[in-house]
Amino acid sequence: MGADLLTGFAPVAIAVAPDVVLLRQFVDTQPLRAAIGDVVVLAPFRHLTTPNRGTMSVAISNVGEQGWHSDIKGYRYVGVDPMTGRTWPTMPANFSDLAQRAAAAAGFLDFNPNCCLINRYAIGAKMGTHRDQDEANFSHPIVSVSIGLPAVFVWHGAVRTGTSIPVPVEDGDILVWGRSARLGYHAVRALKADSRMSVPPFRYNLTFRRTN
Ligand code: MD6
Ligand code: FE
């Protein structure tokens, strides 16, 4: 009986490292792209300033009760979009459903995100090595959905300069991590043009979190 239940998940759930799970080709991203198009009318993509006065190459927006923000004062979550003065758009139902299903498939039951950061990578955009540590509670996992152009996500783990595990991620792939991996270091290599060039030529990434 267990085998039947497991076959739906087992072939696509790949352990990248302890408590880091890759779900390959988990979702049809077309409805997610449509929802992104709708919400960024309300909360436009923007290139944020970092505390050291750099500008992020990745453009971001958020949906949910909280949104991740950066400026010269630091990194933090805010309930009102500083760009528009309005609350962030409501999290679309297909986003929250997906986050919960993916978390469960990776072994994290009852994930209830209150935030989804939307990243948009143009060719050449990248994300330097960092860990997600601006949340007030690390008992919840993170669910990360790749949409559009392929990229190379790099898992470093507990040490910033630790062994790096390159993880090619494509449209429809989902990474989930938590527990012992929750504060692991990671990065995304500069996006390359690809023969499977999607239109528009971007990679989008949805990262679902619970901030409290
Ligand atoms: C990205 N993702 O894949 C960047 N952080 O575009 C992240 O930085 C990230 O994918 C925490 C958990 C999952 C992630
Ligand atoms: Fe991250």
Side-chain angles (χ1 to χ4, degrees):
M1 157 270 198
D4 281 351
L5 285 174
L6 284 171
T7 44
F9 298 133
V12 294
I14 298 161
V16 170
D19 294 326
V20 182
V21 176
L22 174 62
L23 304 168
R24 282 223 172 103
Q25 299 301 291
F26 192 83
V27 64
D28 170 12
T29 64
Q30 209 292 320
L32 303 176
R33 294 165 196 257
I36 292 171
D38 290 344
V39 298
V40 300
V41 174
L42 302 169
F45 280 116
R46 78 289 308 262
H47 293 273
L48 294 175
T49 302
T50 56
N52 62 9
R53 296 175 192 272
T55 301
M56 290 182 68
S57 61
V58 174
I60 78 139
S61 184
N62 293 276
V63 294
E65 290 161 16
Q66 296 288 315
W68 187 82
H69 182 68
S70 170
D71 58 24
I72 58 168
K73 291 187 283 183
Y75 304 124
R76 62 196 178 278
Y77 283 93
V78 291
V80 170
D81 179 354
M83 185 178 182
T84 66
R86 296 187 299 257
T87 54
W88 300 101
T90 304
M91 193 180 303
N94 62 349
F95 278 29
S96 34
D97 290 354
L98 172 63
Q100 199 155 55
R101 278 196 303 117
F108 297 88
L109 300 182
D110 303 319
F111 180 46
N112 180 20
N114 68 342
C115 167
C116 176
L117 171 63
I118 308 172
N119 291 132
R120 187 188 68 189
Y121 295 72
I123 306 300
K126 62 184 186 326
M127 181 134 356
T129 307
H130 70 281
R131 53 185 189 169
D132 292 30
Q133 58 180 8
D134 303 318
E135 300 73 30
N137 181 340
F138 301 126
S139 69
H140 308 286
I142 294 181
V143 170
S144 167
V145 182
S146 290
I147 300 171
L149 288 177
V152 179
F153 179 92
V154 184
W155 177 254
H156 291 280
V159 183
R160 182 183 280 272
T161 52
T163 40
S164 57
I165 302 172
V167 183
V169 285
E170 293 185 9
D171 183 71
D173 290 351
I174 302 187
L175 270 166
V176 182
W177 72 69
R179 293 190 279 259
S180 68
R182 178 59 182 76
L183 287 172
Y185 286 97
H186 55 278
V188 178
R189 289 192 189 146
L191 196 75
K192 290 186 179 163
D194 190 274
S195 55
R196 293 159 288 177
M197 184 68 88
S198 68
V199 179
F202 294 122
R203 170 180 184 256
Y204 299 93
N205 168 257
L206 307 178
T207 51
F208 293 92
R209 298 103 184 263
R210 174 114 216 143
T211 60
N212 55 18

